[in-house]
Amino acid sequence: MPHDHDDHDHAHGHHHHGLSPSGHPYRPDDDTALSRFQVMEIALRELLIEKGIATAPEIMAQVERMDARSPALGARVVARAWTDPAFKARLLADGSAACREMSIEVDALKLVVVENTPQVHNVVVCTLCSCYPRNLLGLPPDWYKARAYRSRVVREPRAVLAEFGTHLPDDVRVQVHDSTADMRYLVLPARPAGTDGWSAERLAELVGRDAMIGVTLARAPEEPAPA
Amino acid sequence: MTAPLPEVVPTGFPPPYPTAGGRFRPGQAVRVRHGMALGHLRTPFYLRGRVGRIERICGDFQNPEELAYNHRNGMALTLYRVRFTMAEIWGETAERPADTLDAEIFEHWLEPSDAA
C-alpha cells in the first residue's frame, strides 16, 4: 500500500511538495510539449533509420562515443605538454595534429592551444553560441553556454574570474579568446609549483576542466582534490 | 582618440591549415567592417568598427554565411585571429584597458587600417 505510513504531516499521493523519504525534494514531471528542435531531432533520426542511412544502434553508438568524452582527455594532453617540451612546441603549432599523436580522436576539431605564462592568462568563450573543444573536454558546462558568462567574460573578465576564485596579479594580462569561427580553444595552464619529477599521469590529476577553459588555474599539489 | 593597438608576438610557426596566403599579415593593423548584413554572421557586433592587429592566419575556410544556407561550393576565405585591446572595444569603461581579446574574423570583414 502506498499510504500505509503514519506520518500524516507528510505530503501524500500526487502532491509531491514535501521531501522524499531520502530527504530530497521531488522533481516535477516534465510534462511539457516537445520543443521545435526536439521534434526536429526525432523526425530526422526516424528518417535516417527509415531510409537506411543509419541504424538505431549506430546512432546510439555515436551518442555513447560523445558521452564518453571527458576532461580527462584534455588533462592528458596538458600533462604531456608539461613533461615533454618538444610535444608542447608541436601542440602550440598544431593542436589537432599533436592530439592525434596521442591517439585522441579529434575528428574535424581544429584545435588552437593557448599557453598561460607569468605574463598572460588565457580564458575561452564563445559569445555567439557554445563552441567548445568537445573531443577533449566532453560536453560544456551549463554556465559556459549561459548568456551571463558569454556576455560578461568579454566585458569584465577579471570580475568573472574572481567569481571562480581566480585572482590574478595586476601585471598579468588577461587574454580572452572568442571562438567565433572554425577554431576551438584549449588553455594550457601553468604547471603548479612543487611538482618536480611528477609523472604525466600524476600531473594530469591536477588539471581540471575549468583550468582548460581558463576560468581557474591548475590545482596546486597541496590543494584538496575535488570531491 | 584612438586606443593603442595591442602587441602581437609572431607565433613562429606556419598556419596549420591550407591557405592561399590572404590579404593581411600578422602584426598588421586592421579594422573590422562596420557592416550590417542579414543572415548568419560570425562577426560579433561588439567588434564591428574596432581596430586591432592580425595575431595569426588560421587558414582558408568556407564562408559560414554561405554554409548556413547549404551553399558548399564557394571559394574558401582566409580566416584570421585578430587581437584587440579592451580599451579599443569598450573605451573608457573598460575593466582593464590593456587586457586583450582575440576573435576569429574572415577576410571579407576586415579592411586595412592606417593606425600605427
Side-chain angles (χ1 to χ4, degrees), chain B residues 3-4 50 84-94 96-99:
Chain B
R50 304 299 181 198
F84 307 87
T85 62
M86 291 298 188
E88 169 67 6
I89 299 173
W90 305 116
E92 288 181 1
T93 66
R96 185 71 61 91
D99 284 345

Side-chain angles (χ1 to χ4, degrees), chain A residues 35 50 52 69 96 100 108 112 115 130 132 147 184 193 201:
Chain A
S35 72
E50 277 174 32
R69 295 169 182 159
S96 295
R100 285 191 192 100
V112 172
E115 183 186 15
S130 57
Y132 190 73
R147 194 179 292 275
R184 300 291 177 267
E201 290 70 28

Side-chain angles (χ1 to χ4, degrees), chain B:
Chain B
M1 194 185 113
T2 307
L5 285 164
E7 264 189 58
V8 168
V9 179
T11 60
F13 46 79
Y17 301 98
T19 173
R23 183 180 173 200
F24 304 111
R25 292 289 162 265
Q28 191 172 345
V30 290
R31 181 183 296 276
V32 181
R33 286 182 192 279
H34 216 315
M36 289 294 196
L38 297 175
H40 175 91
L41 304 177
R42 294 291 187 86
T43 307
F45 274 98
Y46 73 93
L47 295 177
R48 294 192 197 169
R50 304 299 181 198
V51 177
R53 281 192 200 281
I54 303 287
E55 190 267 343
R56 71 178 74 175
I57 299 172
C58 299
D60 294 359
F61 297 94
Q62 293 288 314
N63 183 355
E65 295 162 27
E66 297 285 323
L67 290 177
Y69 300 96
N70 208 24
H71 300 156
R72 298 188 171 272
N73 300 313
M75 198 174 66
L77 301 174
T78 304
L79 178 67
Y80 301 89
R81 274 160 52 85
V82 184
R83 178 164 298 170
F84 307 87
T85 62
M86 291 298 188
E88 169 67 6
I89 299 173
W90 305 116
E92 288 181 1
T93 66
E95 181 190 50
R96 185 71 61 91
D99 284 345
T100 53
L101 179 137
D102 287 10
E104 293 157 54
I105 310 283
F106 277 95
E107 185 165 278
H108 65 299
W109 276 93
L110 297 174
E111 53 199 20
S113 164
D114 52 13

Side-chain angles (χ1 to χ4, degrees), chain A residues 62-100:
Chain A
Q62 185 61 22
V63 170
E64 284 171 14
R65 184 170 170 256
M66 289 191 284
D67 281 350
R69 295 169 182 159
S70 84
L73 290 165
R76 273 180 58 209
V77 174
V78 168
R80 171 91 187 269
W82 283 347
T83 52
D84 181 346
F87 175 80
K88 185 176 109 176
R90 296 197 295 279
L91 183 70
L92 294 174
D94 184 341
S96 295
C99 289
R100 285 191 192 100

Side-chain angles (χ1 to χ4, degrees), chain A residues 34-54:
Chain A
L34 293 176
S35 72
R36 169 184 157 81
F37 288 105
Q38 287 172 315
V39 172
M40 297 238 295
E41 182 274 319
I42 294 166
L44 179 64
R45 175 160 43 88
E46 289 182 348
L47 271 172
L48 288 170
I49 294 167
E50 277 174 32
K51 302 275 184 193
I53 295 167

